[in-house]
């Protein structure tokens, strides 16, 4: 026998050596500085560690604080009592209790779509995108799949699987010219991107709609960051602004951010029943893995009811007030955007120390820095929520202005406090 074989990976679409190599250094530095691996109890919106350090979380995506809304909690308990089982374990395509159908009806009505539930947006995208690749969601033609360079990892991670079924390419962020050129070349093209991204950007839904009209382009949006926080009844950025909400568009959204519960919804329009069946039977984890449990369904039903009342508008308005207050204290590139996320830019070297001082002052904000983001784009990521008090925001603002004045990278600093 000769020497044993060693394996050379192709790494065409993923590279753990690079991701772990880069990412682990980031996490180690964060944890060493007390800014990761934090354990704390939550009470009345304040977190407390075992050593009695109290802080307010300014890095939580429950933008409307619906996750602790009394009616959402009650909804979870009520559904458990009503159905009497947490999860009747069997694939839903065989046997299911009516709970999921009740939630999907409610979400479908709320978002004006056929809604398919999933345990997470990640599971939904991992299940749906390979069916798009093989032409089973669509007209049977294997499409060219164009993934936006910045699309969320939950979509990007499906590239190798999709590439086993069809051709996959990655384009520069929102590169409409590239997409149009490919539309001229291929009989069927899908574009995969975030509807609203984690740094406050929005997909060019109107420009994409032109390509959808002209070439039959299909678009897969993940609008997790804006659903509930944005739009009438919380329908999110894409469904508020895209003129093409038919069988050329699919929207996936988590229910775990501003919606305030668990799970996710796939929102489809104009797709025949057979395609919905294919999804139920073949969309990966949506078929073979556990569905949302009854408590999550009950919480979701309650949150959907809140979305139908003026309380949602009140909460959205309150969130906008908090965002405006923050913007009046700390200037960022995102200032003025309706989106609840702000990045206070700083040098790579300064950001960890700044994050630690903000934490010591009683606020958690996420430091992002090289190597997890490109050099020159480091900073403290701040997220506003409707339930934060003005006093908390003013407190954070003054600490940020203090640390920012020393640490801000000169090219980005626009502190107005
Ligand atoms: C947060 C987020 C997710 C993750 O959602 P899960 O339901 O927890 O999987 C997916 N996509 C985007 C764009 C997100 O912001």
């Amino acid at each position: 026998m000769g020497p044993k074989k060693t394996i050379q990976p192709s790494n065409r679409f993923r590279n753990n050596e690079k991701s772990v190599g880069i990412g682990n250094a980031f996490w180690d530095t964060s944890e060493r500085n007390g800014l990761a691996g934090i354990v704390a109890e939550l009470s009345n919106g304040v977190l407390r560690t075992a050593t009695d350090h109290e802080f307010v979380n300014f890095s939580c995506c429950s933008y409307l604080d619906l996750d602790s809304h009394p009616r959402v909690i009650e909804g979870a308990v009520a559904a458990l009592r009503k159905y009497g089982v947490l999860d009747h374990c069997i694939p839903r395509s065989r046997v299911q209790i009516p709970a999921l159908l009740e939630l999907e009806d409610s979400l479908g009505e709320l978002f004006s779509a056929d809604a398919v539930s999933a345990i997470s947006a990640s599971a939904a995208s991992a299940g749906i995108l390979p069916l798009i690749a093989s032409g089973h969601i669509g007209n049977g033609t294997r499409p060219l799949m164009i993934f936006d360079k910045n699309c969320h990892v939950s979509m990007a991670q499906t590239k190798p699987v999709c590439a086993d079924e069809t051709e996959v390419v990655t384009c520069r962020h929102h590169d409409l010219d590239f997409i149009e050129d490919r539309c001229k070349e291929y009989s069927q093209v899908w574009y995969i991107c975030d509807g609203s991204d984690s740094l406050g950007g929005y997909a060019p839904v109107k420009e994409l709609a032109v390509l959808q009209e002209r070439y039959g382009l299909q678009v897969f949006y993940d609008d997790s960051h804006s659903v509930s926080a944005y739009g009438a009844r919380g329908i999110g950025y894409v469904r508020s602004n895209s003129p093409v909400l038919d069988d050329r568009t699919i929207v996936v959204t988590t229910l775990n951010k501003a919606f305030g519960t668990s799970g996710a919804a796939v929102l489809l329009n104009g797709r025949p029943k057979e395609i919905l069946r294919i999804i139920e039977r073949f969309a990966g984890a949506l078929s073979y893995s556990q569905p949302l449990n009854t408590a999550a369904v009950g919480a979701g039903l309650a949150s959907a009811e809140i979305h139908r009342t003026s309380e949602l508008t009140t909460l959205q308005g309150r969130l906008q007030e908090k965002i405006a207050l923050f913007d009046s204290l700390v200037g960022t590139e995102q200032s003025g955007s309706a989106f609840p996320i702000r990045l206070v830019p700083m040098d790579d070297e300064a950001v960890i120390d700044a994050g630690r001082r903000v934490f010591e002052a009683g606020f958690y904000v996420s430091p992002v820095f090289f190597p997890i983001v490109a050099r020159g784009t480091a900073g403290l990521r701040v997220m506003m929520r409707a339930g934060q008090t003005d006093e908390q925001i003013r407190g954070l603002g003054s600490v940020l202005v203090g640390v920012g004045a020393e640490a801000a990278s000169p090219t980005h600093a626009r502190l107005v406090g």
Side-chain angles (χ1 to χ4, degrees):
M1 286 227 293
K4 290 194 178 170
K5 291 181 184 173
T6 54
I7 290 165
Q8 281 307 318
S10 68
N11 290 134
R12 281 207 305 145
F13 295 105
R14 60 174 295 140
N15 187 335
N16 278 351
E17 196 158 305
K18 207 166 136 194
S19 318
V20 177
I22 288 173
N24 224 19
F26 166 87
W27 284 112
D28 283 345
T29 310
S30 297
E31 194 163 326
R32 249 195 329 275
N33 284 276
L35 295 171
I38 299 165
V39 179
E41 303 258 8
L42 179 62
S43 167
N44 292 323
V46 177
L47 287 142
R48 181 184 289 121
T49 66
T51 55
D52 281 338
H53 177 60
E54 286 191 351
F55 63 98
V56 180
N57 192 350
F58 271 87
S59 222
C60 168
C61 299
S62 183
Y63 304 121
L64 302 179
D65 289 284
L66 286 171
D67 57 346
S68 53
H69 192 292
R71 282 176 58 196
V72 171
I73 307 279
E74 275 315 307
V77 174
L80 273 176
R81 295 241 153 80
K82 173 177 169 186
Y83 289 107
V85 60
L86 187 63
D87 176 19
H88 188 62
C89 181
I90 177 172
R92 66 178 299 195
S93 43
R94 295 187 185 280
V95 179
Q96 63 180 322
I97 60 168
L100 281 177
L101 297 172
E102 197 182 335
L103 178 65
E104 288 167 344
D105 278 353
S106 174
L107 294 175
E109 192 280 328
L110 184 65
F111 295 117
S112 308
D114 290 314
V116 178
S117 65
I119 203 159
S120 68
S122 307
S125 292
I128 301 280
L129 288 168
L131 287 175
I132 287 174
S134 61
H136 286 94
I137 297 176
N139 60 7
T141 311
R142 289 173 192 273
L144 175 73
M145 292 180 83
I146 305 176
F147 285 76
D148 191 274
K149 179 173 179 291
N150 291 8
C151 77
H152 190 264
V153 59
S154 55
M155 294 169 277
Q157 64 154 352
T158 72
K159 284 183 209 176
V161 181
C162 293
D164 216 33
E165 297 279 358
T166 194
E167 260 181 67
V168 169
V169 290
T170 304
C171 75
R172 287 182 307 167
H173 190 43
H174 295 166
D175 191 345
L176 294 161
D177 290 339
F178 179 88
I179 299 166
E180 178 159 17
D181 287 347
R182 297 294 85 72
C183 285
K184 290 176 184 164
E185 216 179 336
Y186 286 79
S187 60
Q188 185 68 70
V189 176
W190 276 82
Y191 173 55
I192 293 99
C193 69
D194 293 25
S196 44
D197 62 58
S198 61
L199 274 180
Y202 295 107
V205 291
K206 297 234 157 47
E207 292 81 351
L208 287 166
V210 172
L211 301 182
Q212 292 183 282
E213 293 291 357
R214 195 175 293 161
Y215 302 101
L217 171 72
Q218 304 241 353
V219 186
F220 181 97
Y221 293 107
D222 179 338
D223 213 7
S224 291
H225 263 298
S226 78
V227 159
S228 302
Y230 190 104
R233 306 211 299 177
I235 61 173
Y237 183 80
V238 172
R239 298 190 74 85
S240 299
N241 293 292
S242 171
V244 179
L245 295 177
D246 55 20
D247 63 356
R248 291 167 291 179
T249 300
I250 292 179
V251 179
V252 163
T253 178
T254 189
L255 301 178
N256 188 232
K257 289 192 166 106
F259 193 83
T261 67
S262 300
V266 185
L267 306 172
L268 309 111
N269 293 91
R271 304 273 170 191
K273 277 267 173 300
E274 303 80 71
I275 292 210
L276 300 178
R277 280 280 172 277
I278 293 280
I279 290 174
E280 190 174 303
R281 293 173 182 167
F282 297 98
L286 271 56
S287 144
Y288 64 70
S289 186
Q290 59 187 297
L292 279 184
N293 70 43
T294 307
V297 169
L301 285 167
S303 178
E305 281 314 310
I306 295 171
H307 281 65
R308 293 183 170 92
T309 67
S310 60
E311 189 175 354
L312 187 85
T313 327
T314 306
L315 288 171
Q316 286 179 334
R318 204 170 290 156
L319 175 63
Q320 291 307 318
E321 285 165 26
K322 305 300 173 188
I323 295 171
L325 174 59
F326 182 84
D327 283 348
S328 75
L329 301 167
V330 183
T332 61
E333 277 188 24
Q334 296 80 32
S335 287
S337 141
F339 204 68
I341 305 181
R342 298 291 182 266
L343 183 76
V344 182
M346 292 184 186
D347 291 335
D348 283 306
E349 295 68 33
V351 69
I352 270 283
D353 190 51
R356 196 173 54 204
R357 286 165 59 194
V358 172
F359 187 59
E360 281 162 6
F363 308 97
Y364 183 82
V365 295
S366 321
V368 292
F369 52 92
F370 182 82
I372 209 83
V373 294
R375 278 194 202 281
T377 59
L380 297 175
R381 200 161 64 170
V382 183
M383 300 183 192
M384 254 59 67
R385 283 181 286 121
Q388 288 156 344
T389 66
D390 288 1
E391 190 191 346
Q392 290 166 345
I393 293 172
R394 286 183 202 285
L396 173 68
S398 70
V399 181
L400 282 175
V401 168
V403 300
E406 294 162 39
S409 87
T411 47
H412 294 282
R414 284 208 293 123
L415 296 168
V416 297

